[in-house]
Amino acid sequence: MEVGLILVVLVILALLGAASSVRVVQQFEHGIVFRFGQVQRGGQLRAGAVRRPGLTFIIPIMERMQKVNQQTVTMNVPAQEGITQDNVSVRVDAVVYFRVVDPVKAIVNVQNYGYAVSQIGQTSLRSVIGQTDMQELLGEREKINIRLRAIMDEITDAPWGVRIERVEIKDVSLPEGMKRSMARQAEAERERRARIITADGEFQASKRLAAAAEIMSQDPGALQLRLLQTVVEVSAEKNSTLVMPLPVELLRFFDRMTDGGKGTAAGAEASEQEKPGLGERLARAEEELAKAAEAPSTLESAQNVPPVIGLDEPKPAKDEATRGLAAGERTPPEGGA
């Protein structure tokens, strides 16, 4: 009876020992086996210290296995406040993607590699903020991401066996005053461009109008046709506007009557003889229009806008000399009455 009881106890102990020695390592894990607390022996990794995914066995009491996850871990870096190189206060947060490439170093060389990577991310983010200006922080994030990854990977890869795969800056928060200043700056820039474009359009339109007036002045019939076209445009709208066309020849008749006789008529005939023909003037006007269309805009930027005398530049020396001369004339000579 006692022998049977002993056998039952031994069988139970054997089953418990076998159950405690069986381990299952998942596909995304590696198992690190410590034998009497050692992974390395003689400065080298002990055989069987790293177990691959699948079913494995360890010796109870003598060995202990710790599993290491080798999946890519996504970790948020808390928002860090800092001052950029151009003295602007910003608040930046980021996200770090990393994974374990050497499970032995990740377990042996650092106590908690996740917490260590988080601290490295915060300190590196503060350091990079202080070395960049606001414009680069807002418009060139890819360069900053690469710089952050290089700084963090240099610290974590070789000593800890943790590889930083990617670092991304999520958000850059600016003070409200800085946001309003940037909005005003952008609005002023758009207003400047709008004014320059409007001025350039008026400048080109004045050239076209001058060329059109030059062509129409050569033939009174052209002015009359333009007048009739204006009447048609006005009459197309339903309004109560009354237009009374006045022949242009009538105005020319009164103009001749007020010239003052034959001398003026002779001068007019001489000027008519000196004036080039209609075909020549039409060709000249078309050439001027082509040149105006091909010529670049003279008001492309604020630097090309002509300066205002008295505001943008000092008055010419000629005006200063004239004003000094006038002041000298008003000043009585020495010793005078």
Side-chain angles (χ1 to χ4, degrees), residues 2-271:
E2 294 180 358
V3 176
L5 182 60
I6 292 174
L7 290 175
V8 171
V9 171
L10 290 176
V11 170
I12 293 173
L13 291 175
L15 291 176
L16 291 176
S20 62
S21 64
V22 177
R23 294 288 187 275
V24 177
V25 180
Q26 301 295 330
Q27 184 66 44
F28 53 86
E29 295 177 334
H30 273 60
I32 309 301
V33 177
F34 294 86
R35 180 175 296 174
F36 295 111
Q38 293 182 350
V39 178
Q40 298 178 348
R41 181 177 298 173
Q44 296 182 356
L45 190 64
R46 181 176 51 80
V50 179
R51 304 295 173 87
R52 299 294 177 179
L55 185 65
T56 185
F57 298 90
I58 63 173
I59 302 174
I61 302 175
M62 294 176 57
E63 296 180 342
R64 179 180 62 87
M65 188 174 71
Q66 185 171 351
K67 300 177 182 179
V68 180
N69 192 333
Q70 291 194 297
Q71 291 177 311
T72 299
V73 181
T74 303
M75 181 182 64
N76 289 324
V77 178
Q80 302 296 311
E81 294 184 357
I83 300 177
T84 60
Q85 196 172 12
D86 51 353
N87 297 325
V88 178
S89 299
V90 293
R91 183 180 179 88
V92 183
D93 57 351
V95 58
V96 179
Y97 302 89
F98 68 92
R99 67 184 182 91
V100 177
V101 294
D102 192 337
V104 176
K105 290 182 179 180
I107 295 300
V108 176
N109 294 351
V110 61
Q111 183 178 7
N112 186 345
Y113 61 86
Y115 179 75
V117 170
S118 175
Q119 296 300 312
I120 289 295
Q122 295 179 35
T123 55
S124 301
L125 186 59
R126 283 179 174 270
S127 176
V128 169
I129 290 174
Q131 296 174 3
T132 57
D133 54 8
M134 186 188 65
Q135 191 66 27
E136 184 180 1
L137 193 62
L138 294 176
E140 300 181 3
R141 293 191 181 183
E142 189 63 30
K143 294 182 180 179
I144 299 177
N145 294 338
I146 295 174
R147 192 187 310 174
L148 275 172
R149 179 183 176 277
I151 294 174
M152 296 179 62
D153 196 61
E154 183 180 359
I155 300 174
T156 61
D157 193 0
W160 299 347
V162 178
R163 179 169 298 168
I164 306 298
E165 294 185 340
R166 191 170 183 82
V167 181
E168 292 284 349
I169 293 179
K170 292 199 301 183
D171 186 28
V172 178
S173 300
L174 299 175
E176 292 298 327
M178 181 59 64
K179 290 181 181 179
R180 289 193 294 268
S181 299
M182 294 175 65
R184 289 196 301 268
Q185 180 182 0
E187 184 178 358
E189 179 66 20
R190 289 193 296 269
E191 183 68 21
R192 181 184 70 88
R193 292 180 181 177
R195 291 185 178 182
I196 290 175
I197 292 173
T198 303
D200 194 7
E202 292 179 355
F203 179 71
Q204 295 180 7
S206 64
K207 286 187 175 181
R208 300 275 180 168
L209 289 175
E214 179 69 20
I215 295 174
M216 296 177 67
S217 64
Q218 306 305 314
D219 190 359
L223 295 176
Q224 191 69 24
L225 290 176
R226 182 58 183 166
L227 178 61
L228 294 176
Q229 185 180 359
T230 305
V231 172
V232 172
E233 292 178 357
V234 172
S235 62
E237 301 178 0
K238 295 181 180 179
N239 50 30
S240 58
T241 304
L242 181 61
V243 179
M244 296 295 293
L246 184 63
V248 180
E249 288 79 2
L250 184 60
L251 297 178
R252 293 182 181 274
F253 173 75
F254 286 112
D255 189 18
R256 294 193 189 98
M257 293 296 293
T258 56
D259 281 343
K262 297 181 179 180
T264 307
E269 291 178 0
S271 61

